[in-house]
Amino acid sequence: YQIGPGDNIIVQLFGKRNVEYKLVVTRDGNILVPEYGPVKLAGLTFDEAEALITRGFESRVIGVKAVVTMGQLRSIQIRLAGDVVQPGVYTIAGLSTMIDALLATGGVRPTGSLRNIELIRGGKPIAKLDLYNLLQRGRLDQEFFLAHNDTIVVPPIGPIVYVGGEVQRPAISELSGEQTVGQVIAMSGGLLPTASLAHSHLERIQSGGTRTLIDFSTKGGAANEKAILNTKVRTGDLLRVLSLEDELSDVVLLSGHVKRPGGYQFRQG
């Protein structure tokens, strides 16, 4: 966390002296310490500020230990632009992340990208957020903390594929580096036990505006599942995963005037 004007710093001394200071970072970035004067903290991280204050007190007063913590955090102003539900200027807590800001302001519109959200600082993009890591895997590679006057930009949705049928999460998925059927199925949570990948197909829009169909049975069917999973996808594709045929193999069906009609396993002879 980067210290800035309006933050509250609490310093507790113990040992030869027992006293607690509640100090506010002034507009010029200093804290005004009684008996010792101003200490410049603006722009430092909390770890750096803690080390600076601790060394300062312990070097001035022999036999004194110092504990430094954060009090009330300052507020910052940020801007939301692009395909968000409520674009505009917002005042939020200084320890907020990009996700906190999006949640507090209504989130992303259906036309917005979830995989290419940009953080603009000083007119330059400094970070990108892929929400699929959080939504599908429950983790983030890195948290991006906001600073005063930051802008969060949500661009229009990128390349998409439609996934339906026998998968865990039928949905419209946005692509960001995914290129194959296997990667798209992984984004959809995997196949259901009833899925038959060998009998499935891709529906594709061609450059001339016509539609075509890529039948996976032409790739060797169940005997060559790897070739099916490596099939390339394009934006606008519809992956339709069909179910297994409703039939039993090696079974004899018994019906009529018997005590236990039904299916029985077939054995030679």
Side-chain angles (χ1 to χ4, degrees):
Y1 179 72
Q2 195 172 60
I3 305 294
D7 282 330
N8 286 258
I9 308 293
I10 300 174
V11 182
Q12 186 180 43
L13 305 180
F14 62 95
K16 290 184 65 176
R17 293 182 61 187
N18 292 285
V19 64
E20 181 178 280
Y21 297 115
K22 295 183 178 179
L23 310 169
V24 180
V25 181
T26 62
R27 286 196 298 176
D28 55 2
N30 296 323
I31 56 171
L32 305 178
V33 184
E35 304 174 26
Y36 303 112
V39 178
K40 187 77 170 180
L41 293 185
L44 300 180
T45 65
F46 173 71
D47 281 347
E48 293 168 339
E50 181 184 26
L52 177 65
I53 296 169
T54 301
R55 286 197 308 267
F57 274 107
E58 293 179 357
S59 63
R60 285 182 172 92
V61 184
I62 304 300
V64 166
K65 296 291 184 182
V67 176
V68 181
T69 187
M70 292 293 299
Q72 184 176 356
L73 302 179
R74 71 184 186 279
S75 296
I76 60 173
Q77 278 195 334
I78 63 163
R79 289 176 291 273
L80 262 71
D83 285 65
V84 290
V85 174
Q86 295 176 329
V89 179
Y90 292 90
T91 300
I92 60 175
L95 202 56
S96 298
T97 65
M98 292 176 69
I99 292 176
D100 296 330
L102 289 169
L103 290 174
T105 56
V108 179
R109 295 171 59 189
T111 55
S113 172
L114 295 179
R115 310 207 63 180
N116 196 27
I117 301 172
E118 285 191 324
L119 177 61
I120 309 296
R121 184 172 295 167
K124 298 180 180 179
I126 65 164
K128 287 188 177 182
L129 174 64
D130 183 352
L131 280 178
Y132 273 33
N133 284 333
L134 177 65
L135 297 173
Q136 295 187 350
R137 306 175 187 95
R139 61 177 174 81
L140 284 175
D141 296 329
Q142 185 178 356
E143 287 273 27
F144 300 110
F145 292 94
L146 301 175
H148 188 62
N149 282 333
D150 277 355
T151 300
I152 297 174
V153 179
V154 179
I157 193 168
I160 57 172
V161 293
Y162 304 83
V163 185
E166 302 297 302
V167 292
Q168 298 287 356
R169 290 193 300 262
I172 300 172
S173 296
E174 185 179 359
L175 302 179
S176 178
E178 292 83 9
Q179 298 180 343
T180 65
V181 168
Q183 291 172 320
V184 170
I185 290 175
M187 281 199 302
S188 300
L191 299 172
L192 292 173
T194 54
S196 175
L197 195 58
H199 296 95
S200 303
H201 58 257
L202 274 173
E203 296 178 15
R204 175 167 294 170
I205 301 173
Q206 299 187 104
S207 56
T210 59
R211 294 179 181 269
T212 188
L213 188 144
I214 300 172
D215 193 343
F216 293 156
S217 61
T218 62
K219 296 182 177 293
N224 199 4
E225 185 173 304
K226 185 176 180 181
I228 297 174
L229 295 176
N230 287 331
T231 302
K232 298 294 185 180
V233 295
R234 300 179 188 171
T235 182
D237 280 358
L238 167 58
L239 173 61
R240 199 183 298 277
V241 181
L242 303 181
S243 62
L244 294 167
E245 294 183 16
D246 190 14
E247 64 177 25
L248 299 171
S249 60
D250 295 329
V251 169
V252 174
L253 295 177
L254 183 62
S255 62
H257 294 278
V258 291
K259 289 186 177 180
R260 291 192 296 272
Y264 291 88
Q265 181 182 354
F266 170 76
R267 291 186 291 274
Q268 190 66 36

